[in-house]
Amino acid sequence: MVKPVATVSVVPRLPKALARLEDLAYNMRFTWDHETISLFRRLDPDIWEATHHNPVALLGLISQDKLEAAKNDPAFIVHYERALEQFDAYMNNKRAWFNEKYGNGNGKNGMKPIIAYFSMEFGLGESLPNYSGGLGVLSGDHLKSASDLNIPLVGVGLLYQEGYFQQYLNADGWQQEMYPINDFYNMPLRLERDKDGNPIKVSVQLPGRKLYIQVWRAQVGRVPLFLLDTNIPDNPREEDRSLTDRLYGGDRRTRIRQEIVLGIGGIRALDALGLRPTVMHMNEGHSAFALLERARCLMRENNLSFAQAKEIVAASTVFTLHTPVPAGLERFGFDLIDEHFTEYMQELGLSRSQFIDLARENMGTYELFSMSVMALKMCYGANGVAKLHGEVSKDMWNWMYPNVPRHEVPVESVTNGIHVQTWISREMATLFDRYLDPAWRTEEWRKEVWQSIENVPDSELWRTHARRRERLVAYARQRLKKQLQRRGAGKAEIAAADEVLNPDALTIGFARRFATYKRATLIFRDLERLDRLVNNPERPVQFIFAGKAHPHDNEGKAFIREIVRIAHMPRFRHSFVFLENYDMSVARYLVQGVDVWLNNPRRPKEASGTSGMKAIYNGCLNFSVLDGWWDEAYKPEVGWAIGAGEEYDEKSLEEQDRIESEALYNVLEQDIVPTFYAQRRDGIPRQWVAMMKNAIKELAGFFNTHRMVQEYTQKYYMPAHERIVRMTTPKLENALSYVNWRINLPKLWGGVRVLSVEVEESQVKVGTKTDVRATVVLGELKPEEVRVQLYYGSLDTRGEIIRGEAVDMELVGEQDGQYLYKATHKYSTTGEQGLSVRVLPHHDFMSTPFQPELITWA
């Protein structure tokens, strides 16, 4: 190996008439704009495919002769100018949703918000492989919708030299991993530089040394994504340079250092760029160290204590939980905390015990430092990613809120969505353009724009979808051939790849991360029954699988090998295909071409899932366990369910698999297959097409990231922004008044007691109204600093209130430090009803009254 003495960055030489191709290439909007995609493909379709749809690499590889030919081609120039006109109109649009909703975009208080969205991975497109799966793709879609809606958001993540692994299978069907090196200079990325042209760099402290970080920008429409990179000469140690090599790679020491770079380094990078976010959104707990850095900055600049700074940070922080599986949470041993944070603790003015208490989680026989615990303690808004996941999260985190009823644990939900323009096929989009309100492209959250799907002739919808199925089959055959060639298969086996799959057969897709709880092999429990299903000459069925197992997950890899083994059996080789190296390109072909999207996780371990949402907009129907998003989306007229939402304990997993595989086969045999093949003389299955239309009508207006990001904005971003501005503008007086009250609250809360509760009658008739009175002692607190509530509901068999409701009681008198409260209660149902009274803290700057240890019951 020879080290260079100098480096030179070589850039394409574009003809002057085509100079703005660079503007289009360096903005990730090309990942969702069909006009721009077709423009680059037109330049050289072979290079476009070979570079994984990377326009920057394409412009670097294309011959000068082809660029000159394009410059002199009137048709290409018209296409180029049309793409540029649409690009400029998009970038300069001042009438996007955020502007319309919030006037000049500054909120009620006149200060422009800056929302910093932190995520460990971002899936924007296959040309920037900075993602592993659903979490990253969701992050990418979040940024795209923020751009479309013109929300003042910036993304922060890490830039991986090797990214997530490339998957290939050996001759035995066992997953192997490759880590090709990403060439950042041939990707849609630019180094952030200062006014003198030098790369902007920040540093974080590692044991005994500083770690230096440079900052790259990926422009996502109107939203910048800043990606942090440690692979620079400023870091002499190889272990430091390689820290950002791999996503989710390395040991626990590597992981904590990556998260220090993301959290602490991310805040410092934004500061160096002149960006001080008013709101921070953590997508999972990986970036939770950013909370500490935000607090440290406030302490240094305003001479605050950590306790004061912590409350200000919490008031402007949003935290999204992603996993309902406790084992999947990010936790570190205290030895790693001691190794990396001993000096930092001192900067925060905290003892070791106080620092660890921020994130201490009892694991039974030992304790760990939990990033999720710290995130929950230092945020005022937390949410799961589907309604069911919100409920599961309340269960998971109920222990942090003693005496708070489970259903009132302050973890809400914002159901995930997908970025429609990224995932819809061009053919389907063209059909929608012809028959739907044009607002489907820009205002997809409006349910009414999807109702005109009824205007689309059944024949056109069906044939458009059938063309995408044909393209998928051709694509699968082509990839299978390449897979077989790479494995050294014989000529006969490679030639036979042209015969797999039938472009007219019912095609079912299953593609996702191969975690064992997702049960990729459930369909194979009864091979004889499966044989009859797929090889029915009148009504054939075929399956396409794709997905990666984590490099250390041998059980997941065994699932892949089992699928490949069965796909090699003579009776199944025409009907089963496993596509290697699942990425966003493979995902698009699948969700745009299959007829049914299959999903069969163990409920309730699927937090949300989004691949099935992508299928909706392409006329594909879902067939899934009632878990994640499908639990709230399912209706019989829009798809099919496996089971009825049953949950099983760990001792009954084999029984669960038996029951649910039986249900899977039954629905396929008795419902899905007959409906698909119930085609009239014109070849159109009318009932199936009706379900396609129903799914679009009922679901398309909700399961998109435009609706999702609007929900985050209205429910979390803008309330947090307005709260923090009221707290800190023009100076910190309001904030200090609040935080000092909040810091003292636990000391004062011991004086709060409910002395008595009086209920007028113990037996009443339904519809009767009666008064409930409570006598309360508040100690040193004032009535305006609390809420006294009547809590009521039906009783279970143990005599406990089930999912009770609360109503504020009215202060009606005071004598000798005892306060009398009253509420009128109407008994609207029969049966045993329970009543209680509770006291909660209250302040305008609190987003939730449910604070750990601060609730008093009668």
Side-chain angles (χ1 to χ4, degrees):
M1 301 291 284
V2 178
K3 291 273 187 184
V5 295
T7 59
V8 178
S9 180
V10 183
V11 296
R13 192 178 71 201
L14 296 174
K16 188 175 180 181
L18 300 179
R20 291 199 64 201
L21 280 173
E22 199 168 279
D23 293 347
L24 298 176
Y26 278 94
N27 192 308
M28 298 295 293
R29 178 176 172 272
F30 70 76
T31 61
W32 73 89
D33 181 65
H34 289 124
E35 197 71 63
T36 308
I37 292 168
S38 62
L39 181 74
F40 284 118
R41 180 183 281 118
R42 186 171 185 165
L43 278 172
D44 192 310
D46 293 334
I47 295 179
W48 178 250
E49 293 301 327
T51 59
H52 305 291
H53 311 148
N54 179 351
V56 175
L58 180 146
L59 294 178
L61 292 171
I62 195 170
S63 71
Q64 208 63 34
D65 288 345
K66 285 197 174 181
L67 287 173
E68 291 296 327
K71 179 190 78 172
N72 296 316
D73 178 356
F76 182 86
I77 292 298
V78 169
H79 190 170
Y80 168 67
E81 290 174 348
R82 184 170 65 245
L84 276 178
E85 182 182 354
Q86 293 174 5
F87 174 77
D88 290 337
Y90 177 87
M91 296 299 288
N92 298 313
N93 180 19
K94 304 298 183 191
R95 299 196 59 187
W97 174 82
F98 187 82
N99 304 72
E100 297 286 325
K101 179 76 176 176
Y102 295 100
N104 59 8
N106 293 338
K108 295 176 184 175
N109 44 52
M111 179 182 287
K112 188 173 181 63
I114 299 176
I115 298 121
Y117 180 87
F118 281 67
S119 183
M120 198 73 169
E121 51 177 302
F122 286 90
L124 296 164
E126 56 273 21
S127 59
L128 184 57
N130 218 51
Y131 61 96
S132 71
L135 175 72
V137 173
L138 174 76
S139 299
D141 282 8
H142 192 115
L143 296 197
K144 292 172 183 179
S145 279
S147 171
D148 290 343
L149 301 171
N150 206 23
I151 291 167
L153 182 141
V154 300
V156 182
L158 301 183
L159 184 60
Y160 303 99
Q161 193 78 55
E162 298 175 10
Y164 204 54
F165 67 90
Q166 302 278 307
Q167 177 199 54
Y168 69 99
L169 305 182
N170 65 18
D172 189 40
W174 192 257
Q175 174 182 289
Q176 306 290 306
E177 295 92 27
M178 294 185 300
Y179 292 89
I181 302 299
N182 289 321
D183 179 3
F184 299 153
Y185 291 94
N186 277 312
M187 290 180 166
L189 296 166
R190 284 192 164 119
L191 265 178
E192 285 294 304
R193 300 179 184 273
D194 61 23
K195 62 181 187 303
D196 298 320
N198 300 312
I200 288 176
K201 295 174 186 174
V202 296
S203 66
V204 297
Q205 189 67 38
L206 289 186
R209 65 197 184 277
K210 284 190 173 181
L211 175 77
Y212 293 92
I213 305 159
Q214 69 181 2
V215 186
W216 297 78
R217 176 198 290 244
Q219 191 65 35
V220 186
R222 291 177 282 203
V223 167
L225 168 60
F226 300 109
L227 298 168
L228 310 178
D229 170 25
T230 65
N231 188 16
I232 53 178
D234 306 66
N235 297 317
R237 295 194 187 189
E238 173 62 28
E239 65 178 294
D240 292 349
R241 290 195 303 276
S242 64
L243 199 56
T244 51
D245 271 4
R246 294 183 181 179
L247 172 59
Y248 305 137
D251 57 14
R252 301 307 297 161
R253 181 171 281 103
T254 299
R255 179 66 76 87
I256 197 171
R257 291 178 179 180
Q258 285 187 333
E259 297 185 5
I260 288 169
V261 171
L262 176 60
I264 297 175
I267 292 297
R268 292 179 183 178
L270 290 176
D271 210 42
L273 293 162
L275 296 168
R276 183 62 67 91
T278 57
V279 178
M280 178 184 171
H281 183 177
M282 296 177 291
N283 195 38
E284 255 305 347
H286 307 115
S287 59
F289 291 134
L291 301 169
L292 303 178
E293 180 63 12
R294 292 182 76 201
R296 192 188 69 86
C297 292
L298 279 168
M299 292 170 66
R300 187 187 64 223
E301 294 166 7
N302 299 284
N303 195 28
L304 302 179
S305 68
F306 177 77
Q308 290 171 322
K310 171 178 171 284
E311 291 299 330
I312 296 173
V313 168
S316 60
T317 301
V318 181
F319 173 40
T320 296
L321 298 141
H322 273 272
T323 177
V325 183
L329 299 173
E330 193 72 290
R331 304 178 178 99
F332 297 107
F334 294 163
D335 57 331
L336 288 173
I337 299 302
D338 291 337
E339 180 182 350
H340 293 89
F341 285 96
T342 298
E343 291 180 27
Y344 201 84
M345 295 174 197
Q346 295 167 5
E347 286 190 66
L348 297 176
L350 297 176
S351 68
R352 179 182 184 270
S353 179
Q354 288 171 324
F355 188 88
I356 287 174
D357 280 345
L358 293 172
R360 191 188 300 270
E361 185 172 6
N362 190 324
M363 306 303 294
T365 57
Y366 59 96
E367 294 179 322
L368 290 175
F369 188 96
S370 167
M371 300 294 275
S372 296
V373 169
M374 182 163 68
L376 285 166
K377 284 186 175 181
M378 292 185 68
C379 81
Y380 265 16
N383 69 282
V385 289
K387 283 184 180 177
L388 178 60
H389 180 229
E391 294 300 310
V392 172
S393 298
K394 289 176 187 291
D395 273 332
M396 281 179 66
W397 300 110
N398 203 166
W399 65 269
M400 286 184 61
Y401 302 89
N403 298 321
V404 174
R406 189 208 67 85
H407 70 282
E408 291 185 303
V409 169
V411 178
E412 306 301 325
S413 65
V414 176
T415 301
N416 281 346
I418 62 106
H419 186 255
V420 177
Q421 301 307 315
T422 294
W423 295 103
I424 193 168
S425 72
R426 182 156 197 169
E427 294 88 341
M428 195 64 76
T430 301
L431 185 68
F432 289 172
D433 284 340
R434 196 177 306 142
Y435 290 101
L436 270 58
D437 182 333
W440 80 267
R441 282 193 178 270
T442 55
E443 300 176 11
E444 51 259 51
W445 66 87
R446 289 172 45 203
K447 187 172 181 178
E448 62 269 21
V449 305
W450 299 100
Q451 302 311 299
S452 48
I453 190 69
E454 291 294 353
N455 298 336
V456 179
D458 288 359
S459 58
E460 288 194 51
L461 181 59
W462 180 247
R463 283 166 191 149
T464 298
H465 177 68
R467 280 194 296 274
R468 285 305 313 188
R469 190 192 318 113
E470 290 165 9
R471 287 190 63 181
L472 170 61
V473 168
Y475 175 78
R477 288 171 176 173
Q478 180 187 35
R479 281 187 73 100
L480 181 59
K481 267 189 169 181
K482 290 179 180 176
Q483 292 171 196
L484 293 169
Q485 288 166 351
R486 198 162 45 240
R487 285 182 224 158
K491 288 184 179 179
E493 187 178 1
I494 293 170
D498 283 330
E499 300 171 7
V500 303
L501 305 179
N502 175 350
D504 298 317
L506 171 61
T507 304
I508 298 174
F510 182 101
R512 53 194 34 87
R513 185 166 54 89
F514 266 62
T516 51
Y517 75 85
K518 294 176 184 281
R519 299 188 295 178
T521 57
L522 192 66
I523 188 70
F524 299 112
R525 281 186 65 91
D526 187 339
L527 291 184
E528 298 310 314
R529 196 169 178 182
L530 186 60
D531 185 2
R532 294 193 297 273
L533 187 70
V534 301
N535 289 313
N536 184 324
E538 305 295 323
R539 304 189 304 188
V541 181
Q542 57 198 14
F543 292 81
I544 303 177
F545 288 83
K548 297 177 178 179
H550 188 278
H552 303 310
D553 182 2
N554 286 331
E555 286 185 86
K557 290 182 179 182
F559 278 8
I560 293 173
R561 182 169 60 183
E562 178 68 4
I563 292 170
V564 173
R565 182 185 70 81
I566 291 170
H568 277 138
M569 292 180 177
R571 57 179 169 165
F572 292 124
R573 73 179 186 86
H574 292 290
S575 306
F576 284 89
V577 171
F578 183 91
L579 299 181
E580 293 176 11
N581 204 32
Y582 184 45
D583 65 2
M584 290 179 72
S585 179
V586 175
R588 273 196 302 274
Y589 272 97
L590 286 169
V591 298
Q592 293 171 4
V594 298
D595 300 297
V596 173
W597 195 257
L598 176 63
N599 188 30
N600 41 240
R602 295 191 194 281
R603 176 185 162 115
K605 293 188 176 182
E606 185 88 286
S608 171
T610 57
S611 53
M613 299 176 190
K614 299 172 181 103
I616 295 167
Y617 300 89
N618 291 288
C620 170
L621 299 175
N622 278 274
F623 177 33
S624 175
V625 167
L626 294 176
D627 197 9
W629 77 281
W630 192 237
D631 181 67
E632 63 193 270
Y634 170 69
K635 300 175 184 175
E637 62 268 25
V638 302
W640 298 275
I642 300 169
E646 300 89 350
E647 293 179 19
Y648 296 77
D649 60 38
E650 291 295 317
K651 298 176 183 176
S652 307
L653 299 186
E654 177 63 27
E655 180 71 0
Q656 179 184 9
D657 289 352
R658 183 189 66 76
I659 292 169
E660 292 185 346
S661 66
E662 185 76 16
L664 194 161
Y665 289 126
N666 287 342
V667 175
L668 277 170
E669 293 166 347
Q670 298 167 21
D671 202 343
I672 295 177
V673 173
T675 305
F676 182 86
Y677 284 104
Q679 300 179 2
R680 298 186 182 178
R681 293 179 63 183
D682 58 7
I684 299 168
R686 299 288 175 176
Q687 187 181 343
W688 188 279
V689 173
M691 289 185 72
M692 291 166 69
K693 289 183 174 182
N694 286 338
I696 292 169
K697 265 195 313 187
E698 294 296 321
L699 307 180
F702 186 80
F703 292 101
N704 58 75
T705 42
H706 278 31
R707 184 274 313 158
M708 181 192 83
V709 173
Q710 286 176 344
E711 199 170 332
Y712 275 116
T713 302
Q714 293 173 298
K715 192 172 180 178
Y716 296 109
Y717 296 164
M718 292 309 287
H721 168 73
E722 286 159 7
R723 181 188 309 119
I724 203 66
V725 171
R726 281 190 292 126
M727 288 173 70
T728 59
T729 305
K731 293 185 179 180
L732 287 177
E733 284 90 348
N734 287 339
L736 290 176
S737 171
Y738 164 67
V739 299
N740 291 334
W741 172 82
R742 178 63 186 84
I743 290 165
N744 286 322
L745 196 54
K747 301 172 193 171
L748 303 178
W749 199 256
V752 176
R753 286 176 295 141
V754 180
L755 295 181
S756 64
V757 177
E758 299 174 16
V759 182
E760 284 187 342
E761 297 180 53
S762 60
Q763 185 173 11
V764 296
K765 292 185 178 179
V766 69
T768 300
K769 291 182 180 179
T770 64
D771 287 341
V772 179
R773 297 176 186 272
T775 304
V776 176
V777 173
L778 299 178
E780 296 180 46
L781 291 172
K782 301 171 185 172
E784 59 268 26
E785 295 173 316
V786 300
R787 286 285 183 267
V788 178
Q789 295 183 329
L790 173 66
Y791 186 83
Y792 59 91
S794 300
L795 300 180
D796 64 14
T797 54
R798 293 171 298 183
E800 296 176 358
I801 297 173
I802 309 167
R803 294 190 70 86
E805 297 180 51
V807 62
D808 285 348
M809 301 182 77
E810 179 188 359
L811 177 62
V812 294
E814 184 265 336
Q815 186 174 3
D816 299 328
Q818 296 183 4
Y819 295 90
L820 179 62
Y821 287 83
K822 185 186 83 167
T824 301
H825 178 59
K826 180 178 179 179
Y827 296 88
S828 53
T829 60
T830 58
E832 288 291 298
Q833 303 285 306
L835 300 172
S836 188
V837 170
R838 68 187 183 188
V839 186
L840 297 165
H842 171 75
H843 196 287
D844 286 345
F845 290 154
M846 272 185 172
S847 66
T848 173
F850 298 106
Q851 307 289 313
E853 311 287 351
L854 300 179
I855 181 170
T856 297
W857 289 88

